[in-house]
Amino acid sequence: MRNMGINVLFEGSNFQRLLGGLFVTIEVAFISIIIATMLGIIVGLLRTFKSKTLRFILRLYLEVFRIIPILVWLYVIYFIFTPLLSVEVSGEFTAIFVFSLWGAAEMGDIVRGALESLPRHHFESGKALGLSTSQLYRYVLVPQAVRRMVPGAINLATRMIKTTSLVVLIGVIEVVKVGQQIIELGVIQAPDAPFWVYGFIFILFFLVCYPLARLSKKMELKWQS
């Protein structure tokens, strides 16, 4: 007799495996977000400098990651660059590397936009007080720009978490991959297993991303008020 697909979730250690896969997803996303935030702040600050060459290079860096899909970057780094360099790296390392570079490019644009949206007189007042450029950014511009950065940064973090589902294609055993493995083993006895497994994965992603989306919206409204 065929089982209901929902039973597949609770057979053996399937439920724990799915949660373990979710942990891998969150781990990859969390490390990438931390690295991307630190690098992105530096990139964003540099993009406000007057050097046309520097601004062009950093703008090109951003556009390269916007134009070329993340999946292509994962494939290129994992299947082409690392073999050419004779370097063995895991799928998780590749994912963190690619997501960090992508996130830093996007975060840099968020930081640049927040800084450039500040009234010009803030900059001029700081200079009139005799502050150096580093002091001006540290004590005047960055503290005021932070609240303008936060909603966009949270939205970026949500996008990065959702996009981690692509790492299954380079062999990372995260929640989607675990779900596929469970379906392959249980679909014969329970043809509707994909519905229940992917439905459960949908709920897991929703539980992780929805609070971030609400927080971003709340902070955006607070900033506008």
Side-chain angles (χ1 to χ4, degrees), residues 16-192:
Q16 290 82 358
R17 289 176 61 205
L18 284 168
L19 294 181
L22 179 66
F23 176 79
V24 173
T25 297
I26 294 174
E27 181 183 37
V28 169
F30 180 75
I31 295 174
S32 300
I33 290 166
I34 295 297
I35 297 174
T37 300
M38 293 188 293
L39 292 178
I41 290 173
I42 297 172
V43 171
L45 291 173
L46 292 176
R47 287 193 62 192
T48 63
F49 288 6
K50 294 182 179 180
S51 171
K52 291 184 179 180
T53 302
L54 180 61
R55 293 175 71 134
F56 172 78
I57 293 172
L58 294 176
R59 179 66 186 180
L60 180 62
Y61 164 49
L62 172 64
E63 292 303 327
V64 164
F65 273 91
R66 282 186 172 174
I67 293 170
I68 301 176
I70 299 301
L71 179 58
V72 174
W73 279 110
L74 290 170
Y75 279 156
V76 168
I77 299 297
Y78 190 70
F79 293 113
I80 299 178
F81 278 3
T82 53
L84 284 176
L85 297 174
S86 300
V87 177
E88 268 192 50
V89 296
S90 65
E92 288 90 342
F93 179 86
T94 302
I96 291 171
F97 180 77
V98 171
F99 277 83
S100 296
L101 290 180
W102 166 50
E106 294 287 355
M107 185 65 190
D109 200 45
I110 293 170
V111 173
R112 176 203 59 78
L115 288 170
E116 292 183 351
S117 69
L118 294 174
R120 181 66 185 174
H121 67 80
H122 290 180
F123 180 88
E124 295 169 348
S125 298
K127 283 296 184 181
L129 291 172
L131 297 177
S132 65
T133 301
S134 60
Q135 290 174 327
L136 180 63
Y137 276 93
R138 182 177 179 182
Y139 297 114
V140 180
L141 301 181
V142 173
Q144 294 184 69
V146 164
R147 67 174 186 171
R148 304 189 181 199
M149 301 176 196
V150 171
I154 295 175
N155 280 329
L156 175 61
T158 304
R159 286 164 54 203
M160 292 177 71
I161 293 170
K162 292 185 290 186
T163 311
T164 52
S165 59
L166 294 176
V167 303
V168 65
L169 299 174
I170 58 171
V172 180
I173 310 300
E174 46 73 73
V175 65
V176 175
K177 182 64 175 180
V178 173
Q180 290 176 347
Q181 293 173 343
I182 293 172
I183 290 169
E184 289 172 2
L185 292 174
V187 72
I188 295 177
Q189 291 187 342
D192 58 343

Side-chain angles (χ1 to χ4, degrees), residues 190-203:
D192 58 343
F195 171 81
W196 294 102
V197 173
Y198 285 128
F200 183 64
I201 292 173
F202 168 85
I203 292 172

